Amino acid sequence: MAELLYQLQQDGIYKKIIYGGEGDLPEIPDGAKATFHYRTLKTNEEQTVLDDSKHIGKPMELIFGKKFKLEVWEKLLKTMKIKEVAEFTCDIKHTAVYPLVAKSLRDIFKGKSSHEHTSHCCGMMALSEQGMGYSDLDELMKCPQPLIFILEFNKLELPEQFEPESWSMNGSEKLESIPKLREAGNEAYSKKDYEDAAKKYAQALGLLEDLMLHEKPGDEEWNKLDEMKRPLLLNFSQCKLLTHDYYPVITHTSDVLIKDPDNVKALFRRGKAHAAVWNLKEAQEDFAHVLELEPSLKKAVNVELASLEKRVKEKEKQEKSLLQGMFS
């Protein structure tokens, strides 16, 4: 530990352990995720607090090796045990970028923005001219200074122990994750956990949408990705149908039918959803189209139509009874 502290000092970082933590110093590979609380203070006499994740109510998550803009945090966490609390006083060379990072984090916690990929240089130049939107950060931009970081290392997860979020993945990682998420969704569906299955399918769809943003619509690669969406949209719609969330079913089956107007599964599921929300004409049209394409489904369609007719009659009876009550 003495050698580690000496190396930090040589790099302009001074560490003071507040709580020693648990176990040995962990080995942290690239792709691992650290969950920690941070408190940032100035080095003035009052030690003015700039940011405190505990006041926000949400810890910070950092994935190692993903070039997080405030690189010193990775360096500091690698010197800590799990559950350790430590104070680090860091030289200006490590803290000059803090205003940019702090602005992004504050905006994210306020719901103003998501993870952005603005280049470091251009971002710093633009913000120095336009302002950060936070007076204390504007001051730091104009007059960079050493800062104190108090970190509390709560949890370390190895790459195989968590599902990475889309912002932390490159294109290849996103593409590799899609079939895994689909398989996880299928497994959840087989266990009748339709909520979890829908979540997995939605995650896979989100990754596909991200990938498609980087391709030109109509190009071969874009078309391949678009083709991959259809079975996921159908699976997601089936889960929503089974959890009685009908409007997403109509939306997503309609997306499928734009490209594949004779898709029987999409028509049948949309017909059921239309029937559930009293879009009677639309439901009848979808079921009629199903019969044209797949006469073998006549029995299943007739069951749905009979159920719809029964519900319509019950509703008409209730309305008639209500009117009679009003004028009796």
Side-chain angles (χ1 to χ4, degrees), residues 72-250:
V72 73
W73 274 1
E74 284 197 29
K75 185 187 292 285
L76 304 183
L77 287 164
K78 285 183 176 181
T79 73
M80 299 179 69
K81 298 178 181 179
I82 307 303
K83 304 299 181 183
E84 181 179 330
V85 181
E87 176 184 298
F88 300 89
T89 303
C90 299
D91 190 79
I92 291 175
K93 68 179 180 180
H94 298 297
T95 62
V97 73
Y98 184 77
L100 185 64
V101 173
K103 172 183 167 52
S104 296
L105 292 174
R106 291 181 190 184
D107 287 349
I108 289 168
F109 289 136
K110 289 181 179 179
K112 291 184 181 180
S113 68
S114 59
H115 296 276
E116 300 172 355
H117 300 283
T118 310
S119 75
H120 167 63
C121 230
C122 295
M124 289 291 279
M125 288 175 65
L127 289 169
S128 64
E129 293 172 3
Q130 301 169 10
M132 310 288 290
Y134 302 95
S135 59
D136 54 350
L137 299 182
D138 286 334
E139 180 189 341
L140 272 182
M141 282 288 289
K142 293 173 184 175
C143 304
Q145 56 188 270
L147 294 173
I148 298 169
F149 299 117
I150 299 176
L151 304 185
E152 181 181 323
F153 198 167
N154 294 332
K155 183 167 68 171
L156 177 68
E157 295 171 273
L158 299 177
E160 65 273 13
Q161 294 175 323
F162 68 98
E163 290 182 9
E165 295 183 51
S166 61
W167 62 266
S168 69
M169 302 164 69
N170 60 35
S172 297
E173 289 169 334
K174 289 177 183 178
L175 200 58
E176 289 172 7
S177 291
I178 290 165
K180 294 177 184 177
L181 285 167
R182 182 179 176 183
E183 183 60 35
N186 292 347
E187 186 177 343
Y189 185 88
S190 69
K191 296 176 181 176
K192 298 186 179 182
D193 188 349
Y194 305 125
E195 294 282 358
D196 188 51
K199 181 181 176 182
K200 301 299 183 188
Y201 296 138
Q203 287 175 325
L205 285 164
L207 294 178
L208 277 169
E209 293 286 356
D210 286 346
L211 290 169
M212 291 173 73
L213 288 174
H214 297 284
E215 304 294 339
K216 184 178 179 181
D219 281 359
E220 183 180 357
E221 192 58 37
W222 189 92
N223 287 335
K224 285 181 182 177
L225 295 169
D226 189 50
E227 193 74 27
M228 289 172 67
K229 283 176 61 179
R230 292 180 205 173
L232 287 165
L233 287 169
L234 288 170
N235 291 354
F236 179 79
S237 298
Q238 178 67 2
C239 292
K240 289 295 180 181
L241 194 62
L242 291 168
T243 54
H244 311 295
D245 189 4
Y246 300 112
Y247 288 104
V249 179
I250 294 170

Side-chain angles (χ1 to χ4, degrees), residues 2-18:
E3 183 180 348
L4 186 60
L5 294 175
Y6 176 75
Q7 290 174 354
L8 286 176
Q9 289 176 15
Q10 293 297 105
D11 198 23
I13 300 170
Y14 295 86
K15 176 179 179 179
K16 181 171 74 174
I17 297 174
I18 299 172

Side-chain angles (χ1 to χ4, degrees), residues 61-78:
E61 293 181 349
L62 183 151
I63 296 179
F64 292 88
K66 291 295 182 179
K67 297 183 179 178
F68 183 64
K69 287 177 181 175
L70 191 61
E71 294 178 12
V72 73
W73 274 1
E74 284 197 29
K75 185 187 292 285
L76 304 183
L77 287 164
K78 285 183 176 181

Side-chain angles (χ1 to χ4, degrees), residues 271-283:
K272 291 183 72 170
H274 275 312
V277 296
W278 298 100
N279 296 335
L280 305 183
K281 181 184 175 186
E282 290 86 349

Side-chain angles (χ1 to χ4, degrees), residues 40 109 197 243 266 269 285 304 312 315:
T40 307
F109 289 136
T243 54
R269 290 168 191 176
E285 288 175 351
E304 295 298 330
V312 169
K315 187 177 182 183

